[in-house]
Amino acid sequence: MTTRRDFLKKATLATIGSALAVTKADALTKFALPLFNINKEAKPGRLKLRFFPYELKLRHVFTVATYSRTSTPDVQVEISYEGVTGYGEASMPQYLGQTVESVSAFLRKVDLSRFNDPFQLEDILTYIDSLSPGDTAAKAAVDIALHDLVGKLLGAPWYRIWGLNKAKAPSTTFTIGIDTPEVVRQKTRECADKFNILKVKVGRDNDKEMIDTIREVTDLPIAVDANQGWKDRQQALDMIHWLKEKGVVMVEQPMARERKDDIAWITERSPLPIFADEAIQRLKDIKDVEGAYTGINIKLMKCTGMREAWKMLNYARARGMKVMVGCMTETSCAVSAAAQLAPAVDFADLDGNLLISNDRFRGMEVVKGKIALPDRPGIGVVLR
């Protein structure tokens, strides 16, 4: 009879080739970047955590309703077990209120040496969540790395473990930030023949100019994200009716999250589905937004990772809500982790890795505008 130990060894051998293939790149990365080792004395058969900071460089200045930026702070995480390594990351855009320092401080508190079975995801991630009330991006980094590790040990990608059909993955939006008409035209021309749907940031006084400028270049469907930028509910509703006439198919976070009653009023009258973004972070928040929004936007950096994202997706579906999966500015590591959910959602906004110039990984790809999930185990990434 095959024992569980034998099964683990066979699964590990099945994936050891991919692990060996990245050894050289892994060693170069460690040489070039400051690396923090946690559980330095970890024994064989124990989980070992490592992490280091990694700044993400944006290809273009990125502007939303409330700020602009040219880079995003990030922390890369690795968890190893018996020669197999899982990868994760914490990306920290401005509005999350987390920093490289806060993420590093959280990760230094993590003691994985107490666990000798990476398959005990519930126990391990419950322990991780108990270490602080916040730090969602840091928790997501550990969660993603553990899921990658376990998937590699099983020899299967997570979309298969969850029972999903990768052929059902939708097209991803490609984001165009707020900018001058000239730059908006340029960005639209660059992406119009590669994507099937665009995402446009609105919420300032040039919203109509943004949409009309894009319509000079393409008639692709558009999703809009107001990032809480609209102030008056009647004006917001009037804008939504105008947007529908312009080929817009959904609206994200039209007003400030605190204005739940106004948003519920808009949703009741809107010809387009209204999705919660800033208004929702974790599983416990769904009940609070139910009835005020048509659907929710799940992001790993907000909800602590894949474990909670999967629970959120299923709960929202059970409550009759639509679901989209999104991302921050991230490498292909976190984006590919989020993409494992893609076959089960209505909308996907997974272009964060395409917005940076220094991606460390190869993973999920966009083929003719659609999300193409790799057959590699875990979250499907390899180091470049």
Side-chain angles (χ1 to χ4, degrees):
M1 180 180 294
T2 301
T3 65
R4 184 173 179 282
R5 181 76 175 180
D6 292 334
F7 172 77
L8 279 175
K9 287 182 177 178
K10 289 179 181 178
T12 302
L13 287 172
T15 58
I16 198 68
S18 62
L20 289 174
V22 302
T23 300
K24 183 176 180 182
D26 193 23
L28 289 173
T29 300
K30 293 171 189 173
F31 179 79
L33 296 166
L35 189 67
F36 299 90
N37 287 304
I38 306 298
N39 312 324
K40 294 180 180 178
E41 304 303 322
K43 298 176 182 179
R46 297 280 180 171
L47 294 162
K48 184 175 181 180
L49 171 67
R50 299 181 294 172
F51 65 93
F52 55 88
Y54 189 75
E55 185 177 31
L56 307 180
K57 307 291 187 182
L58 297 179
R59 296 182 184 276
H60 303 282
V61 176
F62 190 73
T63 301
V64 298
T66 53
Y67 60 86
S68 298
R69 55 189 167 88
T70 57
S71 65
T72 300
D74 188 277
V75 173
Q76 298 282 306
V77 169
E78 301 173 2
I79 297 178
S80 299
Y81 177 80
E82 295 191 349
V84 181
T85 298
Y87 297 101
E89 76 176 303
S91 173
M92 292 149 285
Q94 182 177 332
Y95 83 89
L96 276 184
Q98 298 169 60
T99 64
V100 169
E101 291 74 22
S102 69
V103 169
S104 299
F106 177 88
L107 293 174
R108 289 190 185 97
K109 294 190 293 186
V110 174
D111 178 15
L112 294 183
S113 65
R114 63 174 66 188
F115 300 101
N116 60 10
D117 185 353
F119 288 87
Q120 294 174 352
L121 288 172
E122 287 293 323
D123 289 348
I124 299 171
L125 293 173
T126 297
Y127 155 71
I128 296 297
D129 203 15
S130 73
L131 294 176
S132 77
D135 295 299
T136 56
K139 293 172 181 179
V142 177
D143 171 284
I144 294 168
L146 277 171
H147 278 80
D148 191 32
L149 174 64
V150 168
K152 287 174 177 175
L153 293 173
L154 288 172
W158 270 95
Y159 72 83
R160 291 192 64 197
I161 296 170
W162 282 329
L164 302 178
N165 178 0
K166 72 174 185 176
K168 293 184 177 180
S171 296
T172 179
T173 58
F174 183 80
T175 303
I176 298 177
I178 298 170
D179 218 314
T180 64
E182 181 181 354
V183 174
V184 169
R185 287 189 198 95
Q186 176 190 346
K187 290 181 179 178
T188 304
R189 291 190 191 100
E190 290 175 358
C191 67
D193 60 344
K194 301 173 185 176
F195 295 87
N196 303 319
I197 180 171
L198 302 179
K199 181 175 180 178
V200 179
K201 297 291 186 178
V202 296
R204 291 189 174 180
D205 56 5
N206 65 335
D207 292 350
K208 289 187 176 181
E209 180 184 61
M210 283 282 297
I211 301 299
D212 284 337
T213 299
I214 290 169
R215 282 291 173 248
E216 293 175 12
V217 179
T218 180
D219 59 358
L220 285 176
I222 296 173
V224 301
D225 184 0
N227 282 118
Q228 309 183 83
W230 293 333
K231 308 303 180 186
D232 180 86
R233 70 181 191 179
Q234 184 61 59
Q235 290 180 2
L237 182 61
D238 292 344
M239 176 62 72
I240 291 170
H241 279 282
W242 182 85
L243 290 170
K244 185 176 187 299
E245 295 176 359
K246 293 292 183 175
V248 171
V249 294
M250 61 87 73
V251 176
E252 227 180 307
Q253 203 61 54
M255 302 183 76
R257 60 186 180 184
E258 295 84 5
R259 300 181 62 176
K260 179 180 172 182
D261 291 343
D262 287 333
I263 294 170
W265 182 90
I266 292 170
T267 298
E268 183 180 4
R269 295 161 176 77
S270 172
L272 299 175
I274 308 296
F275 281 76
D277 184 5
E278 286 88 348
I280 186 166
Q281 286 191 300
R282 304 195 57 173
L283 178 64
K284 63 181 177 59
D285 301 323
I286 298 179
K287 185 177 180 181
D288 188 54
V289 303
E290 190 177 348
Y293 297 84
T294 314
I296 62 170
N297 185 359
I298 300 172
K299 294 180 179 178
L300 302 190
M301 296 301 131
K302 294 193 303 180
C303 76
T304 72
M306 296 171 68
R307 168 179 173 257
E308 184 136 344
W310 180 242
K311 293 179 180 180
M312 291 175 72
L313 187 155
N314 285 285
Y315 181 80
R317 288 294 193 205
R319 301 301 298 170
M321 300 183 76
K322 292 183 178 294
V323 177
M324 69 180 294
V325 61
C327 63
M328 309 299 184
T329 307
E330 302 162 353
T331 71
S332 289
C333 177
V335 172
S336 297
Q340 302 298 314
L341 299 160
V345 305
D346 300 289
F347 291 96
D349 178 31
L350 297 176
D351 64 344
N353 57 327
L354 305 178
L355 304 178
I356 64 173
S357 60
N358 59 338
D359 195 348
R360 295 182 64 230
F361 298 91
R362 289 188 297 110
M364 181 275 286
E365 296 179 343
V366 178
V367 179
K368 295 182 179 179
K370 285 196 63 176
I371 294 169
L373 288 162
D375 290 324
R376 292 184 291 268
I379 61 173
V381 299
V382 292
L383 285 167
R384 290 184 180 275

